[in-house]
Amino acid sequence: MGALAAGSVRGNLYMYDTNKAGGSTGFGTEELRTRVRAGDRVLWNCLALECEAFVGIAGIEVDKSVIEPERKVYPGTDVAYWIGTVKKDDIDVVPYRIRFLVGTRTEPITTTLSPTLVG
Amino acid sequence: MPQQLAIIVLVDVGNALEMKTLEGNTYLFDNMKLHGSEGQGTGELVTAIHGSYWRDGSQASEQVLNWLPYSLGSIPPTVPRGYEAERARQTDRQALAELEAMVNKPANQGADAAAQISQLQQTLGTRVKSTRRTRGPATQKILDVTGHVISYDGAAAHSYPPPVITDIYGEAVDKKIMYPAEYGSPDMVTDGWYWSATVDSTRPGTYTYTMAIQLHRLLLQGGDWTWEPVDLTCDSKIRIMSEPKRNAFTKSGLGLLPIPPA
């Protein structure tokens, strides 16, 4: 709702991953730094804080030599997630951008601050 | 009608089970940032609750809170209700079809039997035996985070059932500030059970409360995988202010309620 009202996810986006023990940082911010290694499968999905609101991922823009996320659906549903496999080690810091579908807006809203994958 | 506000309890279930604590592994949200809630997306949420007064100071209705527990890094709650049980049925049907094709094939035309059985095992996945005392998950097979069944070897990554709130207690309840209870309804997100509380918002102040939360870990018992309940607790706070209620409907601004007639 905040993102819809502001037309931006700035201040309205909270990102987390499940690799805290592996060294990820920036939990609960728009600049999540996810620690990855070659071969790791990274899956993105999103939830709206208001369960009556719709939110989805329209695309993830990232260096394709590191990871190529693609859209898939949970079998038997139209609920989508994005998934990709990290192609190499020693990637240093790789920023990426997520384009969100929010509510009934036709134009996606893109992240302004940058989450990253870190090697 | 009282204002309904939701508090999301997002738990990193895998890490919480590993560390045997919800501290540092629980992220709380409400959608009341504009009301003055603090600590969104952290374990230190303070939920702001405006007083139960209208703009002219007259008595308004009470505040209602709802809690929604979610599991981080698992199949999201937005899939259809009963999805895990449905996936178990789908894969059983698929395995039956594969078995039928296998036995109907002429004896000298099939691939080798060992490979076919291995394929069948993959289609079937690993079943979880349900026990009477595990009330939470209806999961019948072990799924990975993409909704596919897996042959579980005791180490593979898998989806966890959502956390289950089993009680809400502590200062805010003892002081009769809020009256929580578990309700059943055709709620699409939490499989029909949710915790809700009415709040007496006439006594400003900050009050703590504790949630008893049940997680589930896979345990091998007598040759069968079962979801073993693990009970942990997590604290949070509500802060009641004497400010009148504000509008929360979109396109009507954030003015004080009730909105005066145009």
Side-chain angles (χ1 to χ4, degrees):
Chain A
M1 290 295 175
L4 274 175
S8 164
V9 292
R10 184 83 188 262
N12 298 304
L13 175 66
Y14 307 90
M15 297 182 70
Y16 300 90
D17 68 40
T18 51
N19 199 23
K20 194 175 190 178
S24 293
T25 56
F27 286 79
T29 73
E30 290 155 70
E31 294 175 289
L32 176 69
R33 290 172 293 279
T34 300
R35 176 83 60 182
V36 295
R37 286 183 301 193
D40 283 349
R41 286 211 301 166
V42 185
L43 184 149
W44 287 266
N45 63 31
C46 56
L47 287 174
L49 288 189
E50 295 88 356
C51 58
E52 68 274 23
F54 172 77
V55 61
I57 297 174
I60 297 173
E61 295 163 15
V62 60
D63 182 347
K64 286 191 168 55
S65 71
V66 175
I67 189 168
E68 284 183 83
E70 50 177 343
R71 183 183 184 276
K72 295 201 167 169
V73 293
Y74 291 95
T77 75
D78 57 3
V79 180
Y81 60 89
W82 285 72
I83 193 165
T85 302
V86 178
K87 295 177 182 176
K88 55 188 182 187
D89 272 322
D90 303 320
I91 58 167
D92 198 19
V93 176
V94 178
Y96 63 92
R97 305 204 307 167
I98 305 176
R99 284 182 284 121
F100 288 101
L101 299 163
V102 188
T104 53
R105 271 179 67 109
T106 47
E107 272 299 296
I109 300 177
T110 305
T111 44
T112 45
L113 297 174
S114 196
T116 49
L117 299 176
V118 294
Chain B
M1 186 185 157
Q3 260 178 309
Q4 301 260 344
L5 298 169
I7 297 174
I8 291 174
V9 184
L10 180 66
V11 181
D12 184 343
V13 177
N15 220 33
L17 288 172
E18 188 72 27
M19 300 177 71
K20 299 185 178 63
T21 177
L22 290 172
E23 208 179 318
N25 297 309
T26 307
Y27 309 103
L28 300 160
F29 305 85
D30 57 41
N31 48 2
M32 291 162 270
K33 199 173 173 181
L34 293 168
H35 275 201
S37 288
E38 289 167 3
Q40 297 284 346
T42 73
E44 313 292 320
L45 177 71
V46 181
T47 296
I49 293 170
H50 286 193
S52 57
Y53 299 97
W54 300 126
R55 57 192 294 149
D56 64 358
S58 64
Q59 179 73 47
S61 53
E62 74 276 20
Q63 182 73 61
V64 174
L65 298 176
N66 299 299
W67 284 267
L68 298 172
Y70 293 156
S71 168
L72 176 69
S74 291
I75 294 169
T78 42
V79 296
R81 189 172 168 194
Y83 184 65
E84 285 81 0
E86 182 55 32
R87 287 297 293 148
R89 282 193 291 271
Q90 283 168 358
T91 50
D92 280 347
R93 282 196 297 268
Q94 196 183 332
L96 260 182
E98 282 177 23
L99 185 64
E100 201 179 348
M102 196 172 127
V103 296
N104 287 340
K105 221 172 246 176
N108 56 354
Q109 277 184 25
D112 83 281
Q116 287 178 331
I117 286 173
S118 164
Q119 170 63 38
L120 261 182
Q121 279 171 335
Q122 272 186 18
T123 306
L124 276 171
T126 302
R127 209 170 288 279
V128 181
K129 196 178 177 199
S130 61
T131 59
R132 196 168 293 183
R133 68 197 180 91
T134 56
R135 40 172 280 176
T139 306
Q140 295 177 5
K141 288 187 179 181
I142 303 170
L143 301 180
D144 70 8
V145 293
T146 65
H148 292 89
V149 297
I150 53 172
S151 298
Y152 190 63
D153 55 5
H158 60 81
S159 187
Y160 288 94
V164 180
I165 297 177
T166 56
D167 197 10
I168 293 179
Y169 58 94
E171 186 193 13
V173 180
D174 295 342
K175 290 187 174 168
K176 301 191 189 312
I177 298 295
M178 69 177 186
Y179 297 82
E182 189 177 30
Y183 294 87
S185 83
D187 180 295
M188 303 306 274
V189 186
T190 56
D191 247 3
W193 293 101
Y194 67 99
W195 277 81
S196 183
T198 47
V199 180
D200 172 0
S201 57
T202 60
R203 286 185 283 163
T206 302
Y207 305 91
T208 59
Y209 65 91
T210 302
M211 289 170 275
I213 294 180
Q214 192 170 79
L215 307 180
H216 295 85
R217 68 186 170 109
L218 282 169
L219 190 72
L220 195 58
Q221 268 185 329
D224 292 313
W225 288 103
T226 56
W227 286 115
E228 176 70 10
V230 177
D231 293 299
L232 300 168
T233 62
C234 165
D235 292 342
S236 192
K237 290 177 184 166
I238 54 174
R239 190 170 77 238
I240 296 166
M241 296 182 277
S242 53
E243 201 171 327
K245 286 179 181 293
R246 279 183 184 276
N247 177 54
F249 291 101
T250 46
K251 293 184 181 170
S252 300
L254 293 163
L256 301 179
L257 287 174
I259 297 169

